[in-house]
Coordinates of all heavy atoms in Angstrom, one line a residue:
M1 N 35.9 -33.6 9.6 CA 34.8 -33.4 8.6 C 35.5 -33.0 7.3 O 36.3 -32.1 7.2 CB 33.8 -32.3 9.1 CG 32.7 -32.1 8.1 SD 31.5 -30.8 8.7 CE 30.6 -31.7 9.9
S2 N 35.1 -33.7 6.2 CA 35.7 -33.3 4.9 C 35.1 -32.1 4.4 O 34.1 -31.6 4.8 CB 35.5 -34.5 3.9 OG 34.1 -34.5 3.6
T3 N 35.8 -31.5 3.4 CA 35.3 -30.2 2.8 C 34.0 -30.5 2.1 O 33.1 -29.6 2.0 CB 36.3 -29.6 1.8 OG1 36.6 -30.6 0.8 CG2 37.5 -29.2 2.5
T4 N 33.8 -31.7 1.5 CA 32.5 -32.0 0.8 C 31.4 -32.0 1.8 O 30.3 -31.4 1.6 CB 32.6 -33.3 0.1 OG1 33.7 -33.4 -0.8 CG2 31.3 -33.6 -0.6
N5 N 31.6 -32.6 3.0 CA 30.5 -32.6 4.0 C 30.3 -31.2 4.6 O 29.1 -30.9 4.9 CB 31.0 -33.5 5.2 CG 30.9 -35.0 4.8 OD1 30.3 -35.4 3.8 ND2 31.6 -35.8 5.6
L6 N 31.3 -30.4 4.7 CA 31.2 -29.1 5.2 C 30.4 -28.2 4.2 O 29.5 -27.5 4.6 CB 32.6 -28.4 5.4 CG 32.6 -27.0 6.0 CD1 31.9 -27.0 7.3 CD2 34.0 -26.6 6.1
K7 N 30.6 -28.4 2.9 CA 29.8 -27.7 1.9 C 28.4 -28.1 1.9 O 27.5 -27.2 1.8 CB 30.4 -28.0 0.5 CG 31.7 -27.3 0.2 CD 32.2 -27.6 -1.2 CE 33.6 -27.1 -1.4 NZ 34.1 -27.4 -2.7
V8 N 28.1 -29.4 2.1 CA 26.7 -29.8 2.2 C 26.0 -29.2 3.4 O 24.9 -28.8 3.4 CB 26.7 -31.4 2.3 CG1 25.3 -31.9 2.6 CG2 27.1 -32.0 0.9
K9 N 26.8 -29.2 4.6 CA 26.2 -28.6 5.8 C 25.9 -27.2 5.6 O 24.9 -26.7 6.1 CB 27.2 -28.9 6.9 CG 26.7 -28.5 8.3 CD 25.6 -29.4 8.7 CE 25.2 -29.1 10.1 NZ 24.0 -29.8 10.5
V10 N 26.8 -26.4 5.0 CA 26.6 -25.0 4.8 C 25.4 -24.8 3.9 O 24.5 -23.9 4.2 CB 27.8 -24.3 4.1 CG1 27.6 -22.9 3.6 CG2 29.0 -24.3 5.1
K11 N 25.2 -25.6 2.8 CA 24.0 -25.5 2.0 C 22.7 -25.8 2.7 O 21.7 -25.1 2.6 CB 24.1 -26.4 0.8 CG 25.1 -25.9 -0.3 CD 25.2 -26.9 -1.4 CE 26.2 -26.4 -2.5 NZ 26.3 -27.4 -3.6
E12 N 22.8 -26.8 3.6 CA 21.6 -27.1 4.4 C 21.2 -25.9 5.4 O 20.1 -25.6 5.5 CB 21.9 -28.4 5.3 CG 21.9 -29.6 4.5 CD 22.3 -30.8 5.3 OE1 22.5 -30.7 6.5 OE2 22.4 -31.9 4.7
M13 N 22.2 -25.4 6.0 CA 22.0 -24.2 6.9 C 21.4 -23.0 6.1 O 20.6 -22.3 6.6 CB 23.3 -23.8 7.6 CG 23.7 -24.9 8.6 SD 25.4 -24.5 9.3 CE 25.1 -23.0 10.2
A14 N 21.9 -22.8 4.9 CA 21.4 -21.7 4.1 C 20.0 -21.9 3.7 O 19.2 -21.0 3.8 CB 22.3 -21.6 2.8
K15 N 19.6 -23.2 3.4 CA 18.2 -23.5 3.1 C 17.3 -23.2 4.3 O 16.2 -22.7 4.2 CB 18.1 -24.9 2.6 CG 18.5 -25.1 1.2 CD 18.3 -26.6 0.8 CE 18.9 -26.8 -0.6 NZ 18.8 -28.2 -1.0
E16 N 17.8 -23.7 5.5 CA 17.0 -23.5 6.7 C 16.8 -22.0 7.0 O 15.7 -21.6 7.4 CB 17.7 -24.2 7.9 CG 17.7 -25.7 7.8 CD 18.5 -26.3 8.9 OE1 18.9 -25.6 9.8 OE2 18.7 -27.5 8.9
S17 N 17.8 -21.2 6.8 CA 17.6 -19.8 7.1 C 16.7 -19.1 6.1 O 16.1 -18.1 6.5 CB 19.0 -19.1 7.1 OG 19.5 -19.1 5.8
Q18 N 16.6 -19.6 4.9 CA 15.7 -19.0 3.9 C 14.2 -19.3 4.3 O 13.3 -18.5 4.0 CB 15.9 -19.6 2.5 CG 17.2 -19.0 1.9 CD 17.5 -19.7 0.6 OE1 16.9 -20.6 0.2 NE2 18.5 -19.2 -0.1
H19 N 14.0 -20.5 4.9 CA 12.6 -20.9 5.3 C 12.1 -20.2 6.6 O 10.9 -20.2 6.8 CB 12.5 -22.4 5.4 CG 12.7 -23.0 4.0 ND1 11.9 -22.8 3.0 CD2 13.7 -23.9 3.6 CE1 12.3 -23.5 1.9 NE2 13.4 -24.2 2.3
Q20 N 13.0 -19.8 7.4 CA 12.6 -19.2 8.7 C 12.3 -17.7 8.4 O 12.9 -17.0 7.7 CB 13.8 -19.2 9.7 CG 14.1 -20.6 10.1 CD 15.4 -20.7 11.0 OE1 16.0 -19.7 11.1 NE2 15.7 -21.8 11.5
P21 N 11.1 -17.3 9.0 CA 10.7 -15.9 8.7 C 11.7 -14.9 9.4 O 12.2 -15.2 10.5 CB 9.4 -15.8 9.4 CG 9.3 -16.9 10.4 CD 10.2 -18.0 9.8
Q22 N 12.0 -13.9 8.7 CA 12.9 -12.9 9.2 C 12.2 -12.0 10.2 O 11.1 -11.5 9.9 CB 13.5 -12.0 8.0 CG 14.3 -12.8 7.0 CD 15.6 -13.3 7.6 OE1 16.2 -12.7 8.4 NE2 16.0 -14.4 7.1
T23 N 12.7 -11.8 11.4 CA 12.0 -11.0 12.3 C 12.6 -9.6 12.3 O 13.8 -9.4 12.3 CB 12.2 -11.6 13.8 OG1 13.6 -11.7 14.0 CG2 11.5 -12.9 13.9
K24 N 11.8 -8.6 12.2 CA 12.2 -7.2 12.1 C 12.1 -6.7 13.6 O 11.3 -7.1 14.4 CB 11.2 -6.4 11.3 CG 11.3 -6.8 9.8 CD 10.4 -5.9 9.0 CE 10.4 -6.3 7.6 NZ 9.4 -5.6 6.8
P25 N 13.0 -5.8 13.9 CA 12.9 -5.2 15.2 C 11.5 -4.5 15.4 O 11.1 -3.8 14.4 CB 14.0 -4.2 15.3 CG 14.6 -4.1 13.9 CD 14.0 -5.2 13.1
K26 N 10.9 -4.7 16.5 CA 9.6 -4.1 16.7 C 9.7 -2.6 17.0 O 10.3 -2.3 18.0 CB 8.9 -4.9 17.8 CG 7.4 -4.5 18.0 CD 6.8 -5.4 19.0 CE 5.3 -5.0 19.1 NZ 4.6 -5.8 20.1
M27 N 9.1 -1.8 16.2 CA 9.1 -0.4 16.4 C 8.0 0.0 17.3 O 6.9 -0.5 17.1 CB 9.0 0.3 15.0 CG 10.1 0.0 14.0 SD 11.7 0.5 14.6 CE 11.6 2.2 14.5
P28 N 8.2 0.9 18.3 CA 7.1 1.2 19.2 C 6.1 2.1 18.4 O 6.4 3.0 17.7 CB 7.8 2.0 20.3 CG 9.1 2.5 19.6 CD 9.5 1.5 18.6
I29 N 4.8 1.7 18.5 CA 3.8 2.5 17.9 C 2.6 2.7 18.9 O 2.5 2.0 19.9 CB 3.2 1.7 16.7 CG1 2.6 0.3 17.1 CG2 4.2 1.6 15.5 CD1 1.8 -0.3 16.0
V30 N 1.8 3.7 18.5 CA 0.5 3.9 19.2 C -0.5 3.6 18.1 O -0.3 3.9 17.0 CB 0.4 5.2 19.9 CG1 1.3 5.4 21.0 CG2 0.6 6.4 18.9
R31 N -1.7 3.1 18.6 CA -2.7 2.7 17.6 C -4.0 3.5 17.9 O -4.5 3.4 19.1 CB -2.9 1.2 17.6 CG -3.8 0.8 16.5 CD -4.1 -0.7 16.6 NE -2.8 -1.5 16.6 CZ -2.3 -2.1 15.6 NH1 -2.9 -2.1 14.4 NH2 -1.2 -2.8 15.7
C32 N -4.6 4.2 16.9 CA -5.8 4.8 17.1 C -7.0 3.8 17.1 O -6.8 2.7 16.7 CB -6.0 5.8 15.9 SG -7.6 6.8 16.1
T33 N -8.1 4.2 17.6 CA -9.3 3.3 17.6 C -9.7 3.0 16.2 O -10.3 1.9 16.0 CB -10.4 4.0 18.4 OG1 -10.7 5.3 17.8 CG2 -10.1 4.2 19.8
C34 N -9.3 3.8 15.2 CA -9.7 3.5 13.8 C -8.7 2.4 13.2 O -8.9 1.9 12.1 CB -9.6 4.7 13.0 SG -8.0 5.4 12.6
G35 N -7.6 2.1 14.0 CA -6.7 1.1 13.5 C -5.4 1.7 12.9 O -4.4 1.0 12.7
A36 N -5.4 3.0 12.7 CA -4.2 3.7 12.2 C -3.0 3.5 13.2 O -3.2 3.6 14.4 CB -4.5 5.1 11.9
K37 N -1.8 3.4 12.7 CA -0.6 3.3 13.6 C 0.2 4.5 13.4 O 0.4 5.0 12.3 CB 0.2 2.1 13.1 CG -0.5 0.7 13.2 CD 0.4 -0.3 12.7 CE -0.3 -1.7 12.7 NZ 0.5 -2.7 12.0
I38 N 0.7 5.0 14.6 CA 1.5 6.2 14.6 C 2.8 5.8 15.3 O 2.8 5.3 16.4 CB 0.9 7.3 15.4 CG1 -0.5 7.7 14.7 CG2 1.8 8.5 15.4 CD1 -1.3 8.7 15.5
L39 N 3.9 6.0 14.6 CA 5.2 5.6 15.1 C 5.6 6.5 16.3 O 5.5 7.7 16.2 CB 6.3 5.7 14.0 CG 7.7 5.4 14.4 CD1 7.8 3.9 14.8 CD2 8.7 5.7 13.3
L40 N 6.0 5.9 17.4 CA 6.5 6.6 18.6 C 7.8 7.2 18.3 O 8.8 6.4 18.0 CB 6.5 5.7 19.8 CG 6.9 6.4 21.1 CD1 5.8 7.3 21.5 CD2 7.1 5.3 22.2
V41 N 8.0 8.5 18.4 CA 9.3 9.1 18.1 C 9.7 9.8 19.4 O 8.8 10.3 20.2 CB 9.2 10.2 17.0 CG1 9.0 9.4 15.6 CG2 8.2 11.2 17.2
P42 N 11.0 10.0 19.7 CA 11.4 10.6 20.9 C 11.4 12.1 21.0 O 12.1 12.7 21.8 CB 12.9 10.0 21.0 CG 13.3 9.8 19.7 CD 12.1 9.4 18.9
D43 N 10.7 12.7 20.1 CA 10.6 14.2 20.1 C 9.1 14.6 20.4 O 8.2 14.3 19.6 CB 11.0 14.6 18.7 CG 11.0 16.2 18.5 OD1 10.1 16.8 19.1 OD2 11.9 16.7 17.8
V44 N 8.9 15.2 21.5 CA 7.6 15.5 21.9 C 6.8 16.4 20.9 O 5.7 16.1 20.6 CB 7.6 16.2 23.3 CG1 6.2 16.7 23.7 CG2 8.2 15.3 24.4
K45 N 7.5 17.4 20.4 CA 6.9 18.2 19.4 C 6.4 17.5 18.1 O 5.3 17.6 17.7 CB 7.8 19.4 19.0 CG 7.2 20.4 18.1 CD 8.1 21.6 17.8 CE 7.4 22.5 16.8 NZ 8.2 23.6 16.5
K46 N 7.3 16.6 17.6 CA 7.0 15.8 16.4 C 5.8 14.8 16.7 O 5.0 14.6 15.9 CB 8.2 15.0 16.0 CG 9.3 15.9 15.5 CD 9.2 16.3 14.1 CE 10.4 17.0 13.6 NZ 10.2 18.0 12.6
M47 N 5.9 14.2 17.9 CA 4.8 13.3 18.3 C 3.5 14.0 18.4 O 2.5 13.5 17.9 CB 5.2 12.6 19.6 CG 4.4 11.4 20.0 SD 4.8 10.1 18.8 CE 3.2 9.2 18.9
S48 N 3.5 15.2 19.0 CA 2.3 16.0 19.1 C 1.7 16.4 17.7 O 0.5 16.3 17.4 CB 2.5 17.3 19.9 OG 1.4 18.1 19.9
E49 N 2.6 16.7 16.8 CA 2.2 17.1 15.4 C 1.6 15.8 14.7 O 0.6 16.0 14.0 CB 3.5 17.6 14.6 CG 3.9 18.9 15.0 CD 5.3 19.3 14.4 OE1 5.8 18.6 13.6 OE2 5.7 20.4 14.7
A50 N 2.2 14.7 14.9 CA 1.7 13.5 14.3 C 0.3 13.1 14.8 O -0.6 12.8 14.1 CB 2.6 12.3 14.6
I51 N 0.1 13.3 16.1 CA -1.2 13.1 16.7 C -2.3 14.1 16.2 O -3.4 13.7 15.8 CB -1.2 13.1 18.3 CG1 -0.4 11.9 18.8 CG2 -2.6 13.2 18.9 CD1 -0.1 11.9 20.3
E52 N -1.9 15.3 16.1 CA -2.8 16.4 15.6 C -3.2 16.1 14.2 O -4.3 16.3 13.7 CB -2.3 17.8 15.9 CG -2.2 18.1 17.4 CD -3.5 18.0 18.1 OE1 -4.6 18.4 17.6 OE2 -3.5 17.5 19.2
K53 N -2.2 15.8 13.4 CA -2.4 15.5 12.0 C -3.4 14.3 11.8 O -4.3 14.4 11.0 CB -1.1 15.1 11.3 CG -1.2 14.8 9.8 CD 0.1 14.5 9.2 CE -0.1 14.1 7.7 NZ 1.2 13.7 7.1
H54 N -3.2 13.3 12.6 CA -4.2 12.2 12.5 C -5.6 12.6 13.0 O -6.5 12.1 12.4 CB -3.7 11.0 13.4 CG -4.6 9.8 13.3 ND1 -4.7 9.1 12.1 CD2 -5.5 9.3 14.1 CE1 -5.6 8.1 12.3 NE2 -6.1 8.3 13.5
I55 N -5.7 13.4 14.0 CA -7.0 13.8 14.5 C -7.7 14.5 13.4 O -8.9 14.3 13.2 CB -6.9 14.7 15.7 CG1 -6.4 13.9 16.9 CG2 -8.2 15.4 16.0 CD1 -6.0 14.6 18.1
K56 N -7.0 15.3 12.6 CA -7.7 16.1 11.5 C -8.2 15.1 10.4 O -9.2 15.5 9.8 CB -6.7 17.0 10.8 CG -6.4 18.2 11.7 CD -5.4 19.2 11.0 CE -5.1 20.3 11.9 NZ -4.1 21.3 11.3
E57 N -7.6 13.9 10.3 CA -8.2 13.0 9.4 C -9.5 12.4 9.8 O -10.3 12.0 8.9 CB -7.2 11.8 9.2 CG -5.9 12.2 8.6 CD -4.9 11.0 8.5 OE1 -5.2 9.9 8.8 OE2 -3.7 11.3 8.2
H58 N -9.8 12.5 11.1 CA -11.1 12.0 11.6 C -12.2 13.1 11.4 O -13.4 12.7 11.5 CB -11.0 11.7 13.1 CG -10.4 10.3 13.3 ND1 -11.1 9.2 13.3 CD2 -9.1 10.0 13.6 CE1 -10.4 8.1 13.6 NE2 -9.1 8.6 13.7
L59 N -11.9 14.3 11.3 CA -12.9 15.4 11.3 C -13.2 15.9 9.9 O -12.3 16.0 9.1 CB -12.3 16.6 12.2 CG -11.9 16.2 13.6 CD1 -11.3 17.4 14.3 CD2 -13.0 15.6 14.4
P60 N -14.5 16.2 9.7 CA -14.8 16.7 8.4 C -14.3 18.1 8.3 O -14.1 18.9 9.3 CB -16.4 16.8 8.4 CG -16.8 16.5 9.8 CD -15.6 16.0 10.6
R61 N -13.9 18.5 7.1 CA -13.3 19.8 6.9 C -14.2 21.0 7.2 O -15.4 20.9 6.8 CB -12.8 20.0 5.4 CG -11.7 19.0 5.1 CD -11.2 19.2 3.7 NE -10.3 18.1 3.3 CZ -9.0 18.3 3.1 NH1 -8.5 19.4 3.2 NH2 -8.3 17.2 2.8
G62 N -13.7 22.0 7.9 CA -14.5 23.1 8.1 C -15.6 23.0 9.2 O -16.4 23.9 9.4
N63 N -15.6 21.9 9.9 CA -16.6 21.7 10.9 C -16.0 21.7 12.3 O -15.1 20.8 12.6 CB -17.4 20.3 10.7 CG -18.6 20.2 11.5 OD1 -18.7 20.8 12.6 ND2 -19.6 19.5 11.0
S64 N -16.4 22.6 13.1 CA -15.8 22.7 14.5 C -16.9 22.6 15.5 O -16.8 23.3 16.5 CB -15.0 24.0 14.6 OG -15.8 25.1 14.4
S65 N -17.9 21.9 15.3 CA -19.0 21.8 16.2 C -18.5 21.1 17.5 O -17.5 20.5 17.5 CB -20.2 21.0 15.6 OG -19.8 19.6 15.5
K66 N -19.3 21.2 18.5 CA -19.0 20.6 19.8 C -18.8 19.1 19.7 O -18.0 18.5 20.4 CB -20.1 20.9 20.9 CG -20.2 22.4 21.3 CD -19.0 22.7 22.1 CE -19.1 24.2 22.5 NZ -17.9 24.7 23.2
K67 N -19.7 18.5 18.9 CA -19.6 17.0 18.7 C -18.2 16.6 18.2 O -17.6 15.7 18.7 CB -20.7 16.6 17.7 CG -20.6 15.1 17.3 CD -21.7 14.8 16.2 CE -21.5 13.5 15.7 NZ -22.5 13.2 14.6
Y68 N -17.7 17.4 17.2 CA -16.4 17.0 16.7 C -15.2 17.4 17.6 O -14.2 16.8 17.6 CB -16.2 17.6 15.3 CG -17.2 17.0 14.3 CD1 -18.2 17.7 13.7 CD2 -17.0 15.6 14.0 CE1 -19.1 17.1 12.8 CE2 -17.9 15.0 13.1 CZ -18.9 15.7 12.5 OH -19.8 15.1 11.6
E69 N -15.4 18.5 18.4 CA -14.4 18.8 19.4 C -14.3 17.7 20.4 O -13.2 17.4 20.8 CB -14.8 20.2 20.0 CG -14.5 21.4 19.1 CD -14.9 22.7 19.9 OE1 -14.6 22.8 21.1 OE2 -15.4 23.6 19.2
L70 N -15.4 17.2 20.8 CA -15.4 16.1 21.8 C -14.7 14.9 21.2 O -13.9 14.2 21.9 CB -16.9 15.7 22.2 CG -17.0 14.6 23.2 CD1 -16.3 14.9 24.5 CD2 -18.5 14.3 23.5
L71 N -15.0 14.5 20.0 CA -14.4 13.4 19.3 C -12.9 13.6 19.2 O -12.1 12.7 19.6 CB -15.0 13.2 17.9 CG -14.3 12.1 17.1 CD1 -14.4 10.7 17.7 CD2 -14.9 12.1 15.6
A72 N -12.5 14.8 18.8 CA -11.0 15.1 18.7 C -10.4 15.0 20.1 O -9.3 14.4 20.2 CB -10.8 16.5 18.2
N73 N -11.0 15.5 21.1 CA -10.4 15.4 22.5 C -10.3 13.9 23.0 O -9.3 13.6 23.6 CB -11.3 16.2 23.5 CG -11.1 17.7 23.3 OD1 -10.0 18.1 22.8 ND2 -12.0 18.4 23.7
Q74 N -11.3 13.1 22.6 CA -11.2 11.7 23.0 C -10.1 11.0 22.3 O -9.3 10.2 22.9 CB -12.6 11.0 22.7 CG -13.7 11.4 23.6 CD -15.0 10.8 23.1 OE1 -15.2 10.5 22.0 NE2 -16.0 10.8 24.0
I75 N -10.0 11.2 21.0 CA -8.9 10.6 20.2 C -7.5 11.1 20.7 O -6.6 10.3 20.9 CB -9.0 11.0 18.7 CG1 -10.3 10.3 18.1 CG2 -7.8 10.5 17.9 CD1 -10.7 10.8 16.8
R76 N -7.4 12.4 21.0 CA -6.2 13.0 21.5 C -5.8 12.3 22.8 O -4.6 11.9 23.0 CB -6.3 14.5 21.6 CG -5.1 15.2 22.1 CD -5.3 16.7 22.2 NE -5.6 17.3 20.9 CZ -6.8 17.8 20.5 NH1 -7.8 17.7 21.3 NH2 -7.0 18.3 19.3
A77 N -6.7 12.2 23.8 CA -6.5 11.7 25.1 C -6.0 10.2 25.0 O -5.0 9.8 25.6 CB -7.7 11.8 26.0
N78 N -6.7 9.5 24.1 CA -6.3 8.1 23.9 C -4.9 7.9 23.4 O -4.1 7.1 23.9 CB -7.3 7.4 23.0 CG -7.1 5.9 22.7 OD1 -6.0 5.5 22.9 ND2 -8.1 5.2 22.3
L79 N -4.6 8.7 22.4 CA -3.2 8.6 21.8 C -2.1 9.1 22.8 O -1.1 8.6 22.8 CB -3.2 9.4 20.5 CG -4.0 8.7 19.4 CD1 -4.1 9.6 18.1 CD2 -3.5 7.4 19.0
I80 N -2.4 10.1 23.5 CA -1.5 10.7 24.5 C -1.2 9.7 25.6 O 0.0 9.4 26.0 CB -1.9 12.0 25.1 CG1 -1.8 13.1 24.0 CG2 -1.1 12.4 26.3 CD1 -2.5 14.4 24.4
I81 N -2.2 9.0 26.1 CA -2.1 8.0 27.1 C -1.2 6.9 26.6 O -0.3 6.4 27.3 CB -3.4 7.5 27.6 CG1 -4.1 8.6 28.5 CG2 -3.3 6.2 28.4 CD1 -5.6 8.3 28.8
Q82 N -1.5 6.4 25.4 CA -0.7 5.3 24.8 C 0.7 5.8 24.6 O 1.7 5.0 24.8 CB -1.3 4.9 23.4 CG -2.6 4.1 23.5 CD -3.0 3.7 22.1 OE1 -2.2 3.0 21.5 NE2 -4.2 4.1 21.7
T83 N 0.9 7.0 24.2 CA 2.3 7.5 23.9 C 3.1 7.5 25.2 O 4.2 7.1 25.3 CB 2.2 9.0 23.4 OG1 1.5 8.9 22.1 CG2 3.6 9.5 23.2
L84 N 2.5 8.0 26.3 CA 3.2 8.0 27.6 C 3.5 6.6 28.1 O 4.6 6.4 28.6 CB 2.4 8.8 28.6 CG 2.2 10.3 28.3 CD1 1.3 11.0 29.3 CD2 3.6 11.0 28.3
N85 N 2.5 5.7 27.9 CA 2.7 4.3 28.4 C 3.9 3.7 27.5 O 4.7 3.0 28.1 CB 1.5 3.5 28.3 CG 0.5 3.8 29.4 OD1 0.9 4.3 30.5 ND2 -0.8 3.7 29.1
A86 N 3.8 3.9 26.2 CA 4.9 3.3 25.4 C 6.2 3.9 25.7 O 7.2 3.2 25.7 CB 4.5 3.5 23.9
A87 N 6.3 5.2 25.9 CA 7.5 5.8 26.3 C 8.1 5.3 27.6 O 9.3 5.0 27.7 CB 7.4 7.4 26.4
K88 N 7.2 5.0 28.5 CA 7.6 4.5 29.8 C 8.2 3.1 29.6 O 9.2 2.7 30.2 CB 6.4 4.4 30.7 CG 6.7 3.8 32.1 CD 5.4 3.8 32.9 CE 5.6 3.0 34.2 NZ 4.3 2.8 34.9
E89 N 7.5 2.2 28.8 CA 8.0 0.9 28.5 C 9.3 0.8 27.8 O 10.1 0.0 28.1 CB 6.9 0.1 27.7 CG 5.6 -0.2 28.4 CD 4.6 -0.8 27.5 OE1 4.9 -1.2 26.4 OE2 3.4 -0.9 28.0
N90 N 9.5 1.8 26.9 CA 10.7 1.8 26.1 C 11.9 2.5 26.7 O 13.0 2.5 26.2 CB 10.4 2.4 24.7 CG 9.6 1.4 23.9 OD1 10.0 0.3 23.5 ND2 8.3 1.8 23.6
A91 N 11.6 3.2 27.9 CA 12.7 4.0 28.5 C 13.7 3.1 29.2 O 14.8 3.4 29.4 CB 12.0 4.9 29.5
G92 N 13.2 1.9 29.7 CA 14.1 1.1 30.5 C 14.7 0.0 29.7 O 15.6 -0.5 29.4

């Protein structure tokens, strides 16, 4: 193969790679029922803090009625279950 043909082939390959979508490594996340995504981190304390911070976003400020405690518990349980399942999938 001549150097001219080689240069043409390299240019063609460069064009092809520009048109192909770049795939990013898929980061493990858990998703709330509201659609918010929380990145799964390998630190239990940090993960707990992230979940609790998100739960506070769902609750009105200064309201600790039984209705909102139930909502918080449902969100917490959902996110914890997803966290444990995602950790199990990513462990192996």
